[in-house]
Amino acid sequence: MIVIGLAGSTACGKDTVADFLKKEGFEKMALSDMLRKLAKENNMPIDAENLFKLSFKYKDELGEGFLGKMALAEFRKKGWDKVCVVGLRRFGEWEESRKADKAILIYVHTPLKVCFERVQSRKRTGDKISWEDFSRYEKDLSS
């Protein structure tokens, strides 16, 4: 199995890179979609604040690689040979994801203000957020 991990701030362009990789035969899995699924299972509204809280709750309970571990199990269950993991934020997520036969990590960089403007313009569930909360969230996730 080949895993390409995409890391970077929210709305920096990771999905654009992943869409290119899909054209090259890679399956795509976004770790944020896994958090949205956990929010539904916990009967929580899907918004930026709740996803942030869930991320830290499960990190504290299961370790910082919990999303990477969940993703790798899902890849194997589905029998995927070429996978693009979108949204790696913590080193532990990458450590788990790279347990595949071959793994590559790509960091996508875009200025944070541009990322915020993109978040404001898209219509994704959970993206309604202020600049102050967005910048705090990005800082907390990257520390």
Short mmCIF file of all heavy atoms in Angstrom, two decimals, residues 41-97:
data_model
loop_
_atom_site.label_atom_id
_atom_site.label_comp_id
_atom_site.label_asym_id
_atom_site.label_seq_id
_atom_site.Cartn_x
_atom_site.Cartn_y
_atom_site.Cartn_z
N GLU A 41 -21.85 10.53 15.67
CA GLU A 41 -21.99 9.42 16.61
C GLU A 41 -22.17 9.90 18.04
O GLU A 41 -22.78 9.21 18.86
CB GLU A 41 -20.77 8.50 16.52
CG GLU A 41 -20.69 7.71 15.24
CD GLU A 41 -19.38 6.95 15.08
OE1 GLU A 41 -18.53 6.98 16.00
OE2 GLU A 41 -19.20 6.32 14.02
N ASN A 42 -21.63 11.09 18.34
CA ASN A 42 -21.74 11.67 19.68
C ASN A 42 -22.91 12.65 19.78
O ASN A 42 -23.02 13.39 20.75
CB ASN A 42 -20.44 12.39 20.06
CG ASN A 42 -19.35 11.42 20.44
OD1 ASN A 42 -19.29 10.95 21.57
ND2 ASN A 42 -18.48 11.08 19.49
N ASN A 43 -23.77 12.67 18.74
CA ASN A 43 -24.94 13.56 18.70
C ASN A 43 -24.57 15.02 18.94
O ASN A 43 -25.26 15.74 19.66
CB ASN A 43 -26.01 13.11 19.72
CG ASN A 43 -26.54 11.74 19.40
OD1 ASN A 43 -26.85 11.45 18.25
ND2 ASN A 43 -26.63 10.90 20.40
N MET A 44 -23.48 15.45 18.32
CA MET A 44 -23.02 16.83 18.45
C MET A 44 -23.26 17.57 17.15
O MET A 44 -23.09 16.98 16.07
CB MET A 44 -21.51 16.86 18.76
CG MET A 44 -21.12 16.20 20.05
SD MET A 44 -19.32 16.12 20.24
CE MET A 44 -18.97 17.82 20.68
N PRO A 45 -23.64 18.84 17.23
CA PRO A 45 -23.73 19.64 16.00
C PRO A 45 -22.35 19.68 15.32
O PRO A 45 -21.32 19.74 16.00
CB PRO A 45 -24.13 21.03 16.48
CG PRO A 45 -24.68 20.82 17.86
CD PRO A 45 -24.00 19.61 18.41
N ILE A 46 -22.34 19.64 14.00
CA ILE A 46 -21.08 19.65 13.27
C ILE A 46 -20.71 21.10 12.98
O ILE A 46 -21.23 21.71 12.05
CB ILE A 46 -21.18 18.82 11.98
CG1 ILE A 46 -21.51 17.37 12.35
CG2 ILE A 46 -19.88 18.89 11.18
CD1 ILE A 46 -21.81 16.49 11.16
N ASP A 47 -19.84 21.62 13.82
CA ASP A 47 -19.31 22.97 13.61
C ASP A 47 -17.85 22.98 14.02
O ASP A 47 -17.34 22.01 14.60
CB ASP A 47 -20.12 24.03 14.38
CG ASP A 47 -20.17 23.79 15.89
OD1 ASP A 47 -19.16 23.32 16.46
OD2 ASP A 47 -21.21 24.09 16.50
N ALA A 48 -17.16 24.04 13.68
CA ALA A 48 -15.71 24.11 13.91
C ALA A 48 -15.35 23.89 15.37
O ALA A 48 -14.41 23.16 15.69
CB ALA A 48 -15.17 25.45 13.42
N GLU A 49 -16.10 24.50 16.27
CA GLU A 49 -15.80 24.38 17.70
C GLU A 49 -15.93 22.94 18.19
O GLU A 49 -15.07 22.43 18.91
CB GLU A 49 -16.71 25.31 18.51
CG GLU A 49 -16.31 25.43 19.96
CD GLU A 49 -14.95 26.10 20.19
OE1 GLU A 49 -14.54 26.93 19.36
OE2 GLU A 49 -14.30 25.78 21.20
N ASN A 50 -17.00 22.24 17.77
CA ASN A 50 -17.18 20.86 18.20
C ASN A 50 -16.15 19.93 17.59
O ASN A 50 -15.68 19.00 18.26
CB ASN A 50 -18.60 20.38 17.89
CG ASN A 50 -19.60 20.90 18.88
OD1 ASN A 50 -19.28 21.16 20.04
ND2 ASN A 50 -20.82 21.08 18.44
N LEU A 51 -15.79 20.14 16.34
CA LEU A 51 -14.75 19.31 15.72
C LEU A 51 -13.42 19.51 16.44
O LEU A 51 -12.67 18.56 16.67
CB LEU A 51 -14.62 19.63 14.23
CG LEU A 51 -15.84 19.31 13.37
CD1 LEU A 51 -15.58 19.67 11.92
CD2 LEU A 51 -16.25 17.85 13.49
N PHE A 52 -13.13 20.76 16.81
CA PHE A 52 -11.93 21.08 17.57
C PHE A 52 -11.94 20.35 18.91
O PHE A 52 -10.98 19.70 19.29
CB PHE A 52 -11.87 22.60 17.76
CG PHE A 52 -10.68 23.09 18.52
CD1 PHE A 52 -9.44 23.17 17.91
CD2 PHE A 52 -10.80 23.51 19.83
CE1 PHE A 52 -8.34 23.64 18.60
CE2 PHE A 52 -9.70 23.97 20.53
CZ PHE A 52 -8.47 24.04 19.91
N LYS A 53 -13.07 20.43 19.62
CA LYS A 53 -13.18 19.77 20.93
C LYS A 53 -13.03 18.26 20.81
O LYS A 53 -12.34 17.62 21.61
CB LYS A 53 -14.53 20.10 21.57
CG LYS A 53 -14.64 21.51 22.10
CD LYS A 53 -16.05 21.77 22.64
CE LYS A 53 -16.21 23.21 23.07
NZ LYS A 53 -17.59 23.50 23.48
N LEU A 54 -13.70 17.68 19.81
CA LEU A 54 -13.60 16.23 19.60
C LEU A 54 -12.17 15.81 19.30
O LEU A 54 -11.70 14.78 19.79
CB LEU A 54 -14.50 15.79 18.45
CG LEU A 54 -15.94 15.43 18.78
CD1 LEU A 54 -16.69 15.09 17.51
CD2 LEU A 54 -16.01 14.29 19.76
N SER A 55 -11.51 16.58 18.47
CA SER A 55 -10.13 16.27 18.11
C SER A 55 -9.26 16.17 19.36
O SER A 55 -8.49 15.22 19.51
CB SER A 55 -9.60 17.36 17.17
OG SER A 55 -8.24 17.18 16.94
N PHE A 56 -9.40 17.12 20.26
CA PHE A 56 -8.59 17.11 21.48
C PHE A 56 -9.07 16.06 22.48
O PHE A 56 -8.26 15.44 23.17
CB PHE A 56 -8.53 18.51 22.10
CG PHE A 56 -7.50 19.36 21.43
CD1 PHE A 56 -7.84 20.13 20.33
CD2 PHE A 56 -6.19 19.38 21.86
CE1 PHE A 56 -6.89 20.90 19.67
CE2 PHE A 56 -5.23 20.14 21.22
CZ PHE A 56 -5.59 20.90 20.12
N LYS A 57 -10.38 15.83 22.55
CA LYS A 57 -10.91 14.81 23.46
C LYS A 57 -10.34 13.44 23.12
O LYS A 57 -9.81 12.73 23.97
CB LYS A 57 -12.44 14.79 23.36
CG LYS A 57 -13.11 13.67 24.14
CD LYS A 57 -14.62 13.65 23.86
CE LYS A 57 -15.35 12.63 24.67
NZ LYS A 57 -15.33 11.29 24.14
N TYR A 58 -10.46 13.06 21.84
CA TYR A 58 -9.97 11.75 21.43
C TYR A 58 -8.45 11.67 21.45
O TYR A 58 -7.89 10.62 21.73
CB TYR A 58 -10.52 11.37 20.06
CG TYR A 58 -11.96 10.89 20.12
CD1 TYR A 58 -13.01 11.74 19.79
CD2 TYR A 58 -12.26 9.60 20.55
CE1 TYR A 58 -14.33 11.29 19.87
CE2 TYR A 58 -13.56 9.16 20.63
CZ TYR A 58 -14.60 10.01 20.29
OH TYR A 58 -15.89 9.58 20.37
N LYS A 59 -7.78 12.78 21.17
CA LYS A 59 -6.32 12.79 21.27
C LYS A 59 -5.90 12.48 22.71
O LYS A 59 -5.01 11.67 22.96
CB LYS A 59 -5.75 14.14 20.84
CG LYS A 59 -4.22 14.22 21.00
CD LYS A 59 -3.71 15.62 20.85
CE LYS A 59 -3.98 16.44 22.04
NZ LYS A 59 -2.95 16.71 22.99
N ASP A 60 -6.58 13.12 23.68
CA ASP A 60 -6.26 12.89 25.09
C ASP A 60 -6.58 11.46 25.53
O ASP A 60 -5.85 10.87 26.31
CB ASP A 60 -7.01 13.89 25.97
CG ASP A 60 -6.51 15.32 25.80
OD1 ASP A 60 -5.40 15.52 25.25
OD2 ASP A 60 -7.24 16.25 26.22
N GLU A 61 -7.67 10.90 25.00
CA GLU A 61 -8.09 9.56 25.39
C GLU A 61 -7.33 8.45 24.67
O GLU A 61 -7.00 7.43 25.26
CB GLU A 61 -9.59 9.37 25.12
CG GLU A 61 -10.48 10.19 26.03
CD GLU A 61 -11.96 10.07 25.67
OE1 GLU A 61 -12.31 9.24 24.81
OE2 GLU A 61 -12.75 10.83 26.26
N LEU A 62 -7.06 8.66 23.36
CA LEU A 62 -6.52 7.58 22.54
C LEU A 62 -5.10 7.83 22.01
O LEU A 62 -4.52 6.96 21.38
CB LEU A 62 -7.45 7.32 21.34
CG LEU A 62 -8.91 7.00 21.68
CD1 LEU A 62 -9.75 6.95 20.42
CD2 LEU A 62 -9.00 5.69 22.46
N GLY A 63 -4.59 9.03 22.23
CA GLY A 63 -3.26 9.37 21.72
C GLY A 63 -3.36 10.21 20.47
O GLY A 63 -4.38 10.20 19.77
N GLU A 64 -2.29 10.94 20.16
CA GLU A 64 -2.36 11.89 19.05
C GLU A 64 -2.44 11.23 17.68
O GLU A 64 -2.75 11.87 16.70
CB GLU A 64 -1.21 12.89 19.11
CG GLU A 64 0.12 12.38 18.73
CD GLU A 64 1.16 13.50 18.60
OE1 GLU A 64 0.93 14.61 19.06
OE2 GLU A 64 2.21 13.19 18.01
N GLY A 65 -2.24 9.95 17.61
CA GLY A 65 -2.33 9.26 16.33
C GLY A 65 -3.66 8.58 16.07
O GLY A 65 -3.79 7.83 15.10
N PHE A 66 -4.68 8.89 16.89
CA PHE A 66 -5.94 8.15 16.78
C PHE A 66 -6.58 8.24 15.40
O PHE A 66 -7.08 7.25 14.89
CB PHE A 66 -6.93 8.57 17.88
CG PHE A 66 -7.69 9.84 17.61
CD1 PHE A 66 -8.95 9.80 17.03
CD2 PHE A 66 -7.14 11.07 17.92
CE1 PHE A 66 -9.65 10.96 16.78
CE2 PHE A 66 -7.83 12.24 17.67
CZ PHE A 66 -9.10 12.19 17.11
N LEU A 67 -6.56 9.42 14.76
CA LEU A 67 -7.17 9.53 13.42
C LEU A 67 -6.36 8.76 12.38
O LEU A 67 -6.94 8.13 11.49
CB LEU A 67 -7.30 11.00 13.00
CG LEU A 67 -8.45 11.78 13.63
CD1 LEU A 67 -8.36 13.25 13.26
CD2 LEU A 67 -9.79 11.21 13.23
N GLY A 68 -5.05 8.80 12.48
CA GLY A 68 -4.22 8.04 11.55
C GLY A 68 -4.45 6.55 11.69
O GLY A 68 -4.51 5.81 10.69
N LYS A 69 -4.60 6.09 12.91
CA LYS A 69 -4.87 4.67 13.17
C LYS A 69 -6.22 4.27 12.60
O LYS A 69 -6.35 3.22 11.96
CB LYS A 69 -4.82 4.41 14.68
CG LYS A 69 -4.78 2.95 15.05
CD LYS A 69 -4.65 2.76 16.55
CE LYS A 69 -3.23 3.10 16.96
NZ LYS A 69 -2.92 2.77 18.36
N MET A 70 -7.24 5.11 12.81
CA MET A 70 -8.57 4.84 12.26
C MET A 70 -8.52 4.81 10.73
O MET A 70 -9.13 3.95 10.10
CB MET A 70 -9.57 5.91 12.71
CG MET A 70 -9.97 5.83 14.16
SD MET A 70 -11.00 7.24 14.67
CE MET A 70 -12.41 7.08 13.60
N ALA A 71 -7.79 5.74 10.15
CA ALA A 71 -7.70 5.83 8.68
C ALA A 71 -7.02 4.59 8.11
O ALA A 71 -7.51 4.00 7.15
CB ALA A 71 -6.96 7.10 8.28
N LEU A 72 -5.90 4.19 8.69
CA LEU A 72 -5.17 3.03 8.18
C LEU A 72 -6.03 1.77 8.25
O LEU A 72 -6.05 0.97 7.31
CB LEU A 72 -3.86 2.85 8.95
CG LEU A 72 -2.85 1.90 8.34
CD1 LEU A 72 -2.44 2.34 6.95
CD2 LEU A 72 -1.62 1.79 9.24
N ALA A 73 -6.77 1.61 9.34
CA ALA A 73 -7.67 0.46 9.46
C ALA A 73 -8.73 0.49 8.36
O ALA A 73 -9.07 -0.54 7.77
CB ALA A 73 -8.33 0.45 10.84
N GLU A 74 -9.25 1.69 8.07
CA GLU A 74 -10.26 1.84 7.02
C GLU A 74 -9.68 1.50 5.64
O GLU A 74 -10.33 0.84 4.83
CB GLU A 74 -10.80 3.28 7.04
CG GLU A 74 -11.97 3.52 6.15
CD GLU A 74 -13.27 2.93 6.68
OE1 GLU A 74 -13.36 2.56 7.87
OE2 GLU A 74 -14.21 2.83 5.87
N PHE A 75 -8.45 1.95 5.36
CA PHE A 75 -7.80 1.64 4.07
C PHE A 75 -7.69 0.15 3.88
O PHE A 75 -7.99 -0.39 2.81
CB PHE A 75 -6.39 2.21 3.96
CG PHE A 75 -6.22 3.66 4.27
CD1 PHE A 75 -5.00 4.13 4.72
CD2 PHE A 75 -7.26 4.56 4.11
CE1 PHE A 75 -4.83 5.47 5.01
CE2 PHE A 75 -7.10 5.89 4.39
CZ PHE A 75 -5.87 6.35 4.84
N ARG A 76 -7.22 -0.52 4.93
CA ARG A 76 -7.02 -1.96 4.84
C ARG A 76 -8.35 -2.68 4.67
O ARG A 76 -8.46 -3.63 3.90
CB ARG A 76 -6.26 -2.45 6.06
CG ARG A 76 -4.81 -1.98 6.04
CD ARG A 76 -3.96 -2.60 7.11
NE ARG A 76 -2.56 -2.29 6.85
CZ ARG A 76 -1.73 -1.82 7.76
NH1 ARG A 76 -2.13 -1.64 9.00
NH2 ARG A 76 -0.48 -1.54 7.45
N LYS A 77 -9.38 -2.23 5.41
CA LYS A 77 -10.70 -2.83 5.31
C LYS A 77 -11.25 -2.72 3.88
O LYS A 77 -11.85 -3.66 3.37
CB LYS A 77 -11.65 -2.15 6.30
CG LYS A 77 -13.04 -2.72 6.36
CD LYS A 77 -13.83 -2.07 7.49
CE LYS A 77 -15.02 -1.36 6.90
NZ LYS A 77 -15.81 -0.64 7.88
N LYS A 78 -11.01 -1.58 3.25
CA LYS A 78 -11.51 -1.35 1.90
C LYS A 78 -10.60 -1.94 0.82
O LYS A 78 -10.96 -1.94 -0.35
CB LYS A 78 -11.69 0.15 1.66
CG LYS A 78 -12.81 0.73 2.49
CD LYS A 78 -13.03 2.20 2.21
CE LYS A 78 -14.23 2.70 3.00
NZ LYS A 78 -14.61 4.05 2.63
N GLY A 79 -9.42 -2.40 1.22
CA GLY A 79 -8.50 -3.00 0.26
C GLY A 79 -7.83 -1.99 -0.67
O GLY A 79 -7.43 -2.35 -1.78
N TRP A 80 -7.69 -0.77 -0.24
CA TRP A 80 -7.07 0.28 -1.06
C TRP A 80 -5.56 0.09 -1.15
O TRP A 80 -4.90 -0.13 -0.14
CB TRP A 80 -7.38 1.66 -0.51
CG TRP A 80 -8.82 2.07 -0.62
CD1 TRP A 80 -9.81 1.45 -1.31
CD2 TRP A 80 -9.42 3.21 -0.02
NE1 TRP A 80 -10.99 2.14 -1.18
CE2 TRP A 80 -10.78 3.22 -0.40
CE3 TRP A 80 -8.95 4.23 0.80
CZ2 TRP A 80 -11.67 4.21 0.02
CZ3 TRP A 80 -9.83 5.21 1.21
CH2 TRP A 80 -11.17 5.19 0.82
N ASP A 81 -5.00 0.20 -2.35
CA ASP A 81 -3.55 0.07 -2.56
C ASP A 81 -2.84 1.41 -2.65
O ASP A 81 -1.66 1.52 -2.33
CB ASP A 81 -3.27 -0.70 -3.86
CG ASP A 81 -3.69 -2.16 -3.76
OD1 ASP A 81 -3.58 -2.73 -2.67
OD2 ASP A 81 -4.13 -2.70 -4.78
N LYS A 82 -3.56 2.43 -3.12
CA LYS A 82 -2.98 3.78 -3.28
C LYS A 82 -3.94 4.76 -2.61
O LYS A 82 -5.08 4.92 -3.04
CB LYS A 82 -2.83 4.12 -4.76
CG LYS A 82 -1.81 3.26 -5.49
CD LYS A 82 -1.89 3.41 -7.00
CE LYS A 82 -1.52 4.79 -7.46
NZ LYS A 82 -1.51 4.90 -8.94
N VAL A 83 -3.45 5.41 -1.54
CA VAL A 83 -4.33 6.24 -0.72
C VAL A 83 -3.72 7.61 -0.49
O VAL A 83 -2.52 7.74 -0.24
CB VAL A 83 -4.57 5.58 0.65
CG1 VAL A 83 -5.56 6.39 1.47
CG2 VAL A 83 -5.04 4.16 0.51
N CYS A 84 -4.58 8.62 -0.54
CA CYS A 84 -4.21 9.99 -0.20
C CYS A 84 -4.96 10.36 1.07
O CYS A 84 -6.19 10.34 1.09
CB CYS A 84 -4.58 10.92 -1.35
SG CYS A 84 -4.26 12.63 -0.98
N VAL A 85 -4.23 10.66 2.13
CA VAL A 85 -4.82 11.05 3.41
C VAL A 85 -4.75 12.57 3.51
O VAL A 85 -3.67 13.16 3.52
CB VAL A 85 -4.06 10.44 4.61
CG1 VAL A 85 -4.75 10.78 5.91
CG2 VAL A 85 -3.89 8.96 4.45
N VAL A 86 -5.92 13.20 3.58
CA VAL A 86 -6.00 14.66 3.60
C VAL A 86 -6.22 15.15 5.03
O VAL A 86 -7.10 14.66 5.72
CB VAL A 86 -7.17 15.15 2.72
CG1 VAL A 86 -7.26 16.66 2.73
CG2 VAL A 86 -7.02 14.62 1.30
N GLY A 87 -5.40 16.10 5.44
CA GLY A 87 -5.64 16.78 6.72
C GLY A 87 -4.85 16.28 7.90
O GLY A 87 -5.32 16.38 9.03
N LEU A 88 -3.67 15.76 7.68
CA LEU A 88 -2.82 15.37 8.81
C LEU A 88 -2.42 16.62 9.58
O LEU A 88 -1.94 17.59 9.00
CB LEU A 88 -1.57 14.64 8.30
CG LEU A 88 -1.85 13.31 7.62
CD1 LEU A 88 -0.68 12.90 6.76
CD2 LEU A 88 -2.15 12.25 8.64
N ARG A 89 -2.63 16.63 10.88
CA ARG A 89 -2.33 17.80 11.70
C ARG A 89 -1.29 17.52 12.78
O ARG A 89 -0.58 18.40 13.19
CB ARG A 89 -3.60 18.31 12.39
CG ARG A 89 -4.65 18.84 11.45
CD ARG A 89 -4.09 19.99 10.64
NE ARG A 89 -5.14 20.70 9.96
CZ ARG A 89 -5.45 21.95 10.21
NH1 ARG A 89 -4.79 22.64 11.10
NH2 ARG A 89 -6.42 22.53 9.57
N ARG A 90 -1.28 16.29 13.26
CA ARG A 90 -0.38 15.95 14.36
C ARG A 90 0.62 14.90 13.89
O ARG A 90 0.33 14.07 13.05
CB ARG A 90 -1.19 15.39 15.52
CG ARG A 90 -2.17 16.38 16.09
CD ARG A 90 -2.87 15.80 17.31
NE ARG A 90 -3.74 16.79 17.89
CZ ARG A 90 -5.07 16.78 17.72
NH1 ARG A 90 -5.65 15.81 17.04
NH2 ARG A 90 -5.80 17.71 18.28
N PHE A 91 1.80 14.95 14.50
CA PHE A 91 2.85 14.01 14.14
C PHE A 91 2.37 12.57 14.31
O PHE A 91 2.66 11.71 13.48
CB PHE A 91 4.11 14.28 14.95
CG PHE A 91 5.25 13.41 14.54
CD1 PHE A 91 5.89 13.62 13.33
CD2 PHE A 91 5.68 12.37 15.34
CE1 PHE A 91 6.94 12.80 12.92
CE2 PHE A 91 6.73 11.55 14.95
CZ PHE A 91 7.36 11.78 13.74
N GLY A 92 1.61 12.30 15.36
CA GLY A 92 1.11 10.95 15.61
C GLY A 92 0.21 10.43 14.50
O GLY A 92 0.20 9.22 14.21
N GLU A 93 -0.56 11.32 13.87
CA GLU A 93 -1.40 10.91 12.75
C GLU A 93 -0.54 10.42 11.60
O GLU A 93 -0.86 9.42 10.95
CB GLU A 93 -2.29 12.07 12.30
CG GLU A 93 -3.33 12.45 13.33
CD GLU A 93 -4.02 13.77 13.06
OE1 GLU A 93 -3.61 14.50 12.13
OE2 GLU A 93 -4.96 14.08 13.78
N TRP A 94 0.54 11.13 11.35
CA TRP A 94 1.46 10.72 10.30
C TRP A 94 2.18 9.44 10.68
O TRP A 94 2.35 8.54 9.86
CB TRP A 94 2.46 11.83 9.97
CG TRP A 94 3.51 11.39 9.00
CD1 TRP A 94 4.84 11.39 9.20
CD2 TRP A 94 3.31 10.89 7.67
NE1 TRP A 94 5.50 10.90 8.08
CE2 TRP A 94 4.57 10.59 7.13
CE3 TRP A 94 2.18 10.65 6.90
CZ2 TRP A 94 4.73 10.07 5.85
CZ3 TRP A 94 2.35 10.14 5.62
CH2 TRP A 94 3.62 9.86 5.12
N GLU A 95 2.61 9.32 11.92
CA GLU A 95 3.30 8.11 12.37
C GLU A 95 2.44 6.86 12.13
O GLU A 95 2.95 5.83 11.72
CB GLU A 95 3.66 8.22 13.86
CG GLU A 95 4.87 9.07 14.13
CD GLU A 95 6.14 8.47 13.55
OE1 GLU A 95 6.51 7.34 13.91
OE2 GLU A 95 6.76 9.14 12.71
N GLU A 96 1.15 6.97 12.39
CA GLU A 96 0.25 5.84 12.16
C GLU A 96 0.02 5.61 10.66
O GLU A 96 0.06 4.48 10.19
CB GLU A 96 -1.09 6.07 12.86
CG GLU A 96 -1.01 6.01 14.37
CD GLU A 96 -0.57 4.65 14.90
OE1 GLU A 96 -0.84 3.62 14.27
OE2 GLU A 96 0.05 4.62 15.98
N SER A 97 -0.22 6.69 9.92
CA SER A 97 -0.51 6.57 8.49
C SER A 97 0.66 5.99 7.72
O SER A 97 0.48 5.28 6.73
CB SER A 97 -0.89 7.93 7.90
OG SER A 97 -2.05 8.42 8.50
#
